[in-house]
Amino acid sequence: MACRHSDCIAKRNTWMHGTKHAMKRGDELRHLIFIGYKLDWSLHVEEREFQRAIPAWQSSQAFENGDCIHFTCIHNEEKTMSKWLWLGYAKVAPGVYRPLHLVIVSNGHNKRLTVATVYDPSQTSHMWDETYTVRLCWKHANT
């Protein structure tokens, strides 16, 4: 059930706009990697993996089998930045899969993509629908 807090209602409208063409944006990200864009894993990701008990292999596996669930592009005088929210799953035991969200960014000025952070949305399940693809609440977000 979606949060009824006034801030969450406003943010949900923006969120839904970023989900409209998510599958197409995921295909675009894969294409960028195919044509030679480098995918870097930031030091922040390594810190978050450690803090959140997410082994690096799980993050990699989630990226490899995941897809874009939200896309944002920021254009202003100072910068152009694209941001993908990626949902993938890591196999942690036979028949058991862990959902992971990865935030991937590009500054648009070089052929580099950066995984900025990773987290397990099931740890804040009140913020997501049961598929972890639709954000329901923004209160107490700490990603």
Side-chain angles (χ1 to χ4, degrees), residues 88-118:
Y89 290 84
K91 186 174 184 176
V92 295
V96 179
Y97 296 85
R98 181 183 195 182
L100 293 175
H101 281 169
L102 294 93
V103 177
I104 303 161
V105 297
S106 171
N107 67 12
H109 297 296
N110 57 30
K111 290 187 160 198
R112 293 186 113 46
L113 302 161
T114 303
V115 180
T117 196
V118 62

Side-chain angles (χ1 to χ4, degrees), residues 73-136:
C73 191
I74 300 165
H75 298 286
N76 62 37
E77 295 172 5
E78 298 172 14
K79 65 181 175 182
T80 298
M81 184 181 84
S82 298
K83 182 170 85 170
W84 295 260
L85 178 58
W86 204 258
L87 169 63
Y89 290 84
K91 186 174 184 176
V92 295
V96 179
Y97 296 85
R98 181 183 195 182
L100 293 175
H101 281 169
L102 294 93
V103 177
I104 303 161
V105 297
S106 171
N107 67 12
H109 297 296
N110 57 30
K111 290 187 160 198
R112 293 186 113 46
L113 302 161
T114 303
V115 180
T117 196
V118 62
Y119 59 94
D120 181 340
S122 70
Q123 300 298 309
T124 53
S125 59
H126 72 283
M127 296 173 64
W128 299 95
D129 73 348
E130 65 278 355
T131 67
Y132 305 110
T133 60
V134 178
R135 183 108 180 231
L136 303 173

Side-chain angles (χ1 to χ4, degrees), residues 33-97:
I33 292 170
F34 178 77
I35 64 170
Y37 277 59
K38 174 115 172 77
L39 182 65
D40 296 321
W41 296 77
S42 70
L43 291 175
H44 183 76
V45 168
E46 294 175 17
E47 293 169 1
R48 290 297 188 240
E49 286 172 335
F50 177 76
Q51 292 170 346
R52 297 171 176 161
I54 301 170
W57 67 266
Q58 288 184 8
S59 297
S60 295
Q61 192 176 83
F63 175 75
E64 290 169 10
N65 71 39
D67 210 343
C68 181
I69 62 168
H70 187 267
F71 178 80
T72 304
C73 191
I74 300 165
H75 298 286
N76 62 37
E77 295 172 5
E78 298 172 14
K79 65 181 175 182
T80 298
M81 184 181 84
S82 298
K83 182 170 85 170
W84 295 260
L85 178 58
W86 204 258
L87 169 63
Y89 290 84
K91 186 174 184 176
V92 295
V96 179
Y97 296 85

